[in-house]
């Protein structure tokens, strides 16, 4: 795969260091890779955008799905995952996930994570949407992500792994053969590593999380601006399934104008018996699916949106008053505190909820060892598209995917392979930066045109608006040689603009409704035409080349690359 030659406009690196492996991101995926590589003697550098614990992992409430309970099996977990994925899961990837998952959880426990247990010492398991069995291990009631993050960070610090905090990764460095040779990054701080610099390495692992900030309202933290996907695109890597953005059905509704990170009301609340009701108290999920409120997330989100349209309401309600105060305080203390902080007491009244952007089921295409189409570049966690999630992620498979594929990446990174040559010195910048305020314009465009409900008209309008943003910046650059001032805000806005373009291009092309991609003008699933993936790459001319796979598995389709079409 050839690099595009496109890089973010940034000052030349003013400092440099070297490592065997650079891990970009400090969630469950990135820190697990770092720990496994360091334990084998590799020199590892972890680059994280804010503080070590500021990624998406610590916000995970529900837990980790794995076949740990009596009577449960990996085959049952596989079946539930395939159903949720709506015909687009890569079966080999899912099998790796569910068979290696239980041991991955045990490794996490050995690292120091403490899960909730019963009086007999066994791990307590709950249910979430799409699962036919109780297989969700949780910690602190509803604070699983915080506990997982704590354990991994403690282990990283004990291992004395080199960590660069408050650092935004910019672009990939490659040698003359196109092999990964490190990254450039910008450190927001003072000291020996300040401003733009570079880290030389023979392997780079992207574990940057999601891109939820492409929408106005999301459960994702402010740092989730699609930086990993954008870097990979500029480096020439392929991405897939970006059209499948999961909108979590039950996000605390804070008003029609609420923006930024919104409080999540975990699926585990429904797993313990909470009901979805409308303003009249009617349970509208009953009869819509065999699992009712515990149907896969895409089905529940669509049902909520339909009921909102039918009744003219801005939100629905989650009723768990029957839990009582004691259960709320001990099983869901984090959610209880968040609700009360916004003036809602779920012990005495139903909680207003509505869908909001939550998880990117797609990302940078990888094989079963986490390798992208750029030699030496790996991707893991939400930034990756392993094929596990298909068109819709099964609840609590995200942390598990991070664990399982991090182990696989570490094994591959540690295998003997040639070191890269000298990095190619970056050439002239091929294009402008978007202004910092463009971030909010991108969010407005995407929320209006590519949110839960989509159509040919809405997506066409979104594509046109995004193109006008890019064209305006490009015309100023070409005419006056001026671009927005290089800084974190403009780099983030530019990354969001790029991933938004790819998402909209794929959503326009996929003329069907499947999983969490809902086309109002194409309400049916079309397996004959669309039982396959759309794979996108950025060209040196800044257009998008789109191809389709032969079926739901990625396999070796990348070598054949059939049916390529360039989109402006």
């Amino acid at each position: 795969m050839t690099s595009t030659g496109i890089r973010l406009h940034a000052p030349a690196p003013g400092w440099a260091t070297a490592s065997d492996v650079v891990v970009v991101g400090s969630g469950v995926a990135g820190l697990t890779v770092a720990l496994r590589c360091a334990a084998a003697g590799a020199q590892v550098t972890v680059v994280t955008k804010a503080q070590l614990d500021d990624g998406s992992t610590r916000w995970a409430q529900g837990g980790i799905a794995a076949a740990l309970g009596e009577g449960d099996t990996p085959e049952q977990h596989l079946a539930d995952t395939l159903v949720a994925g709506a015909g687009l899961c890569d079966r080999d990837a899912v099998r790796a996930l569910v068979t290696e998952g239980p041991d991955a959880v045990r490794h996490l426990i050995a690292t120091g994570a403490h899960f909730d247990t019963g009086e007999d010492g066994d791990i307590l398991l709950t249910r979430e949407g799409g699962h036919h069995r109780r297989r969700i291990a949780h910690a602190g009631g509803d604070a699983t992500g915080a506990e997982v993050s704590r354990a991994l960070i403690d282990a990283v610090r004990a291992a004395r792994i080199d960590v660069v905090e408050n650092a935004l990764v910019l672009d990939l460095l490659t040698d003359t053969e196109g092999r990964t040779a490190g990254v450039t990054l910008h450190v927001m701080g003072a000291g020996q590593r300040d401003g733009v610099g570079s880290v030389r390495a023979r392997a780079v692992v992207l574990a940057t999380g999601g891109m939820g900030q492409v929408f106005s309202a999301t459960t994702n933290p402010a740092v989730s601006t699609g930086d990993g996907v954008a870097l990979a695109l500029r480096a020439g890597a392929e991405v897939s399934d970006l059209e499948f953005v999961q909108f979590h059905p039950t996000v605390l509704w804070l008003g029609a104008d609420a923006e930024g990170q919104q409080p999540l009301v975990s699926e585990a609340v429904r797993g313990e018996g909470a009901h979805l009701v409308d303003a009249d108290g009617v349970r509208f999920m009953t009869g819509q699916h065999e699992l009712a409120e515990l149907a896969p997330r895409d089905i529940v989100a669509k049902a909520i949106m339909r009921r909102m349209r039918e009744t003219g309401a801005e939100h629905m309600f989650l009723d768990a008053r029957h839990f009582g105060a004691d259960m709320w305080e001990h099983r869901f203390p984090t959610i209880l505190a968040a609700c009360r902080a916004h003036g809602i007491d779920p012990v005495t009244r139903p909680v207003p909820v509505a869908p909001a952007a939550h998880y990117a089921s797609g990302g940078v295409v990888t094989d079963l060892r986490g390798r992208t189409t750029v030699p030496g570049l790996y991707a893991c966690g939400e930034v990756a598209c392993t094929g596990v999630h298909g068109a819709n992620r099964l609840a609590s498979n995200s942390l598990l995917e991070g664990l399982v594929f991090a182990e696989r990446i570490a094994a591959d990174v540690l295998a003997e392979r040639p070191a890269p040559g000298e990095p190619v010195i970056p050439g002239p910048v091929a294009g402008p930066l978007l202004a910092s305020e463009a971030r909010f314009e991108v969010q407005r465009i995407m929320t209006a045109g590519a949110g839960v409900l989509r159509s040919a008209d809405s997506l066409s309008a979104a594509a046109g608006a995004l193109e006008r943003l890019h064209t305006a910046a490009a015309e100023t650059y070409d005419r006056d040689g001026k671009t927005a001032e290089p800084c974190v805000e403009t780099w983030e806005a530019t990354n969001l603009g790029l991933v938004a373009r790819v998402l909209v291009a794929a959503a326009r092309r996929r003329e069907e409704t499947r999983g969490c991609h809902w086309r109002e003008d194409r309400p049916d699933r079309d397996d004959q035409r669309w039982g396959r993936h759309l794979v996108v790459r950025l060209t040196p001319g800044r257009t998008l080349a789109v191809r389709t796979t032969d079926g739901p598995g990625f396999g070796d389709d990348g070598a054949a690359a059939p049916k390529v079409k360039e989109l402006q």
Side-chain angles (χ1 to χ4, degrees):
M1 189 60 62
T2 304
S3 172
T4 64
I6 301 169
R7 296 181 180 274
L8 287 174
H9 188 93
W15 56 271
T17 187
S19 193
D20 293 325
V21 185
V22 175
V23 176
V24 187
S26 59
V28 61
L31 295 188
T32 300
V33 172
L35 286 167
R36 298 296 175 264
C37 290
Q43 183 179 352
V44 180
T45 296
V46 173
V47 175
T48 185
K49 195 171 179 181
Q51 299 297 303
L52 265 179
D53 64 349
D54 278 345
S56 293
T57 291
R58 75 182 180 98
W59 298 101
Q61 294 174 347
I64 302 178
L68 298 167
E70 184 178 354
D72 198 5
T73 65
E75 285 298 320
Q76 294 176 66
H77 189 180
L78 181 143
D80 285 344
T81 300
L82 294 179
V83 169
L88 279 189
C89 293
D90 184 310
R91 184 178 288 267
D92 290 339
V94 177
R95 189 168 298 283
L97 178 85
V98 300
T99 56
E100 296 171 23
D103 279 344
V105 173
R106 295 182 187 104
H107 291 164
L108 181 60
I109 293 170
T111 301
H114 301 292
F115 289 91
D116 295 337
T117 58
E119 293 181 358
D120 58 3
D122 289 342
I123 294 175
L124 294 175
L125 302 172
T126 190
R127 280 183 68 195
E128 292 185 359
H131 293 274
H132 282 78
R133 283 189 174 272
R134 286 183 170 266
R135 66 167 64 98
I136 316 301
H138 49 84
D142 59 356
T144 307
E147 171 58 17
V148 169
S149 182
R150 179 208 60 78
L152 292 172
I153 289 170
D154 285 352
V156 163
R157 287 173 174 157
R160 298 186 179 279
I161 292 173
D162 181 36
V163 176
V164 185
E165 295 182 307
N166 301 308
L168 172 64
V169 68
L170 299 176
D171 281 301
L172 191 72
L173 291 172
T174 56
D175 64 15
T176 56
E177 301 298 319
R179 177 174 173 76
T180 295
V183 293
T184 56
L185 65 160
H186 176 263
V187 180
M188 301 161 275
Q192 290 183 327
R193 294 187 292 202
D194 183 25
V196 175
S198 66
V199 183
R200 292 277 304 277
R202 66 182 179 88
V204 171
V205 182
L206 296 178
T208 51
M211 56 183 191
Q213 290 292 325
V214 79
F215 296 97
S216 297
T218 176
T219 63
N220 290 188
V223 295
S224 298
T225 52
D227 307 319
V229 172
L231 175 150
L233 282 164
R234 289 191 296 270
E238 292 185 330
V239 304
S240 186
D241 294 349
L242 287 200
E243 67 269 36
F244 297 117
V245 177
Q246 187 174 82
F247 288 79
H248 197 287
T250 53
V251 175
L252 185 62
W253 189 79
L254 300 179
D257 297 326
E259 296 182 340
Q261 187 176 8
Q262 310 291 300
L264 176 68
V265 182
S266 171
E267 202 145 16
V269 177
R270 282 176 279 138
E272 296 293 349
H275 302 145
L276 280 167
V277 298
D278 61 20
D280 295 324
V282 176
R283 284 185 65 187
F284 56 88
M285 283 304 301
T286 302
Q288 294 214 26
H289 190 276
E290 61 167 335
L291 295 176
E293 280 90 354
L294 287 178
R297 287 178 179 172
D298 62 314
I299 293 172
V300 179
K302 290 171 187 173
I304 290 174
M305 294 299 296
R306 287 193 189 100
R307 196 64 163 191
M308 287 165 57
R309 297 172 77 179
E310 290 168 1
T311 61
E314 293 183 302
H315 59 81
M316 292 288 107
F317 293 93
L318 189 65
D319 192 352
R321 290 174 290 180
H322 55 285
F323 284 6
D326 186 68
M327 182 172 176
W328 268 110
E329 290 167 1
H330 290 89
R331 179 66 178 87
F332 301 110
T334 306
I335 299 170
L336 178 63
C339 289
R340 286 177 170 170
H342 291 283
I344 301 160
D345 189 346
V347 176
T348 60
R349 58 178 283 200
V351 179
V353 294
H358 179 59
Y359 190 88
S361 295
V364 185
V365 176
T366 74
D367 63 14
L368 294 183
R369 286 180 279 182
R371 300 180 299 186
T372 73
T373 49
V374 176
L377 179 65
Y378 298 79
C380 191
E382 190 173 354
V383 71
C385 182
T386 61
V388 158
H389 305 307
N392 178 55
R393 174 174 68 84
L394 181 65
S396 287
N397 267 356
S398 54
L399 294 180
L400 187 70
E401 181 194 31
L403 289 172
V404 168
F405 284 88
E407 301 273 3
R408 286 174 158 254
I409 287 173
D412 198 72
V413 167
L414 293 167
E416 288 259 352
R417 59 187 67 256
E422 287 294 316
V424 176
I425 303 301
V429 176
L433 295 173
L434 294 182
S436 58
E437 56 268 24
R439 173 181 184 141
F440 305 105
E441 182 65 9
V442 169
Q443 292 172 337
R444 185 194 65 76
I445 292 167
M446 295 298 289
T447 300
V452 182
L453 303 177
R454 303 167 178 174
S455 68
D457 289 344
S458 75
L459 290 167
S460 178
L466 291 171
E467 184 61 28
R468 286 191 293 274
L469 262 184
H470 173 73
T471 300
E475 287 177 349
T476 300
Y477 183 72
D478 292 340
R479 182 181 65 248
D480 305 325
K482 295 180 179 179
T483 188
E485 184 70 22
C487 64
V488 171
E489 292 77 15
T490 56
W491 291 323
E492 286 184 333
T494 303
N495 285 339
L496 284 171
L498 177 55
V499 298
R501 285 178 61 206
V502 176
L503 191 163
V504 169
R508 291 180 76 186
R509 183 97 175 257
R510 184 172 289 280
E511 295 179 333
E512 65 161 354
T513 289
R514 181 189 297 269
C516 46
H517 172 63
W518 187 3
R519 286 279 297 261
E520 294 182 277
D521 57 327
R522 302 281 183 168
D524 299 320
R525 174 170 151 176
D526 184 350
D527 285 336
Q528 183 173 356
R529 290 188 62 206
W530 294 111
R532 63 195 73 244
H533 301 275
L534 289 165
V535 181
V536 185
R537 62 179 175 83
L538 184 65
T539 73
R542 305 187 74 85
T543 59
L544 302 176
V546 184
R547 69 175 179 87
T548 58
T549 62
D550 292 333
F554 283 101
D556 296 323
D557 284 333
K563 301 178 183 177
V564 175
K565 178 181 179 181
E566 287 199 10
L567 302 178
Q568 297 300 321

